[in-house]
Amino acid sequence: GQVAKRQSEHEMLLRAARSLLVSEGGLRDDEQEVASLLTEVPKNWIRHGDLIVLPRDSFSSSKWRQFSEKLWRAVSLALRCQRVAVGSKVACDCFRSSGAGLVLGADGWVRHRENGVIFVFDVTRCMFSAGNVTEKLRLSRLNCRGETVVDMYAGIGYFTL
């Protein structure tokens, strides 16, 4: 027998988006408009536990708006998550606030574990960077049991513990 290749999350997302366009959007699968709209299906995203943050240019054409919650439910099924947010530029305010907007789910609070450190934050209010790996690894090796850790980098968000 032949072994079936497991679909990537991106392939599953493409399939869900195509199905929505054809079954709910009144388009034929062979139409150029379908191919054009499918270029807005993201190839990458950020996962924080059960919440996915899509890039800000994902599903940006007005055609996608007609699907409303059906689109976001299809995204959550394809990417195996409970909540979906769409990213935006980080605000140029003194807090560098997140511009991510929740499109599926009740709140943006997540627990993100990285190098043994658990970050708890609201993706709709706080910016998070996966950068500064060397410094995060150094901090994760410190024995801070029973100690209070104070965020001395308020506004940057990288080291909020």
Side-chain angles (χ1 to χ4, degrees), residues 70-141:
K70 285 183 181 181
L71 171 62
W72 307 124
R73 292 217 176 276
V75 168
S76 75
L77 284 171
L79 300 182
R80 296 184 296 263
C81 65
Q82 299 298 310
R83 300 174 293 162
V84 179
V86 177
S88 184
K89 287 185 179 181
V90 174
C92 292
D93 59 12
C94 59
F95 299 108
R96 291 190 41 81
S97 303
S98 169
L102 201 62
V103 293
L104 182 67
D107 65 67
W109 283 96
V110 297
R111 291 173 55 88
H112 180 88
R113 184 181 186 100
E114 190 174 288
N115 299 317
V117 178
I118 298 172
F119 298 85
V120 179
F121 60 99
D122 182 342
V123 298
T124 65
R125 299 184 62 196
C126 300
M127 183 270 293
F128 182 85
S129 174
N132 295 329
V133 174
T134 304
E135 183 63 5
K136 285 182 182 178
L137 279 170
R138 185 186 75 78
L139 285 173
S140 73
R141 291 184 187 119

Side-chain angles (χ1 to χ4, degrees), residues 3-30:
V3 176
K5 180 185 167 199
R6 184 171 178 231
Q7 283 189 318
S8 71
E9 287 183 321
H10 178 250
E11 290 168 332
M12 290 189 296
L13 187 55
L14 273 173
R15 177 184 279 187
R18 174 179 277 115
S19 175
L20 198 59
L21 289 169
V22 173
S23 67
E24 304 276 335
L27 299 175
R28 288 190 334 270
D29 196 21
D30 61 348

Side-chain angles (χ1 to χ4, degrees), residues 24-85:
E24 304 276 335
L27 299 175
R28 288 190 334 270
D29 196 21
D30 61 348
E31 286 185 59
Q32 181 59 37
E33 185 178 8
V34 171
S36 176
L37 288 164
L38 291 177
T39 65
E40 296 177 11
V41 173
K43 291 182 172 79
N44 51 47
W45 43 84
I46 300 168
R47 181 181 297 274
H48 297 292
D50 72 337
L51 188 145
I52 294 287
V53 181
L54 300 173
R56 68 176 175 247
D57 58 349
S58 304
F59 304 105
S60 57
S61 293
S62 60
K63 181 70 173 175
W64 293 112
R65 287 195 270 291
Q66 84 180 61
F67 303 114
S68 186
E69 194 170 326
K70 285 183 181 181
L71 171 62
W72 307 124
R73 292 217 176 276
V75 168
S76 75
L77 284 171
L79 300 182
R80 296 184 296 263
C81 65
Q82 299 298 310
R83 300 174 293 162
V84 179

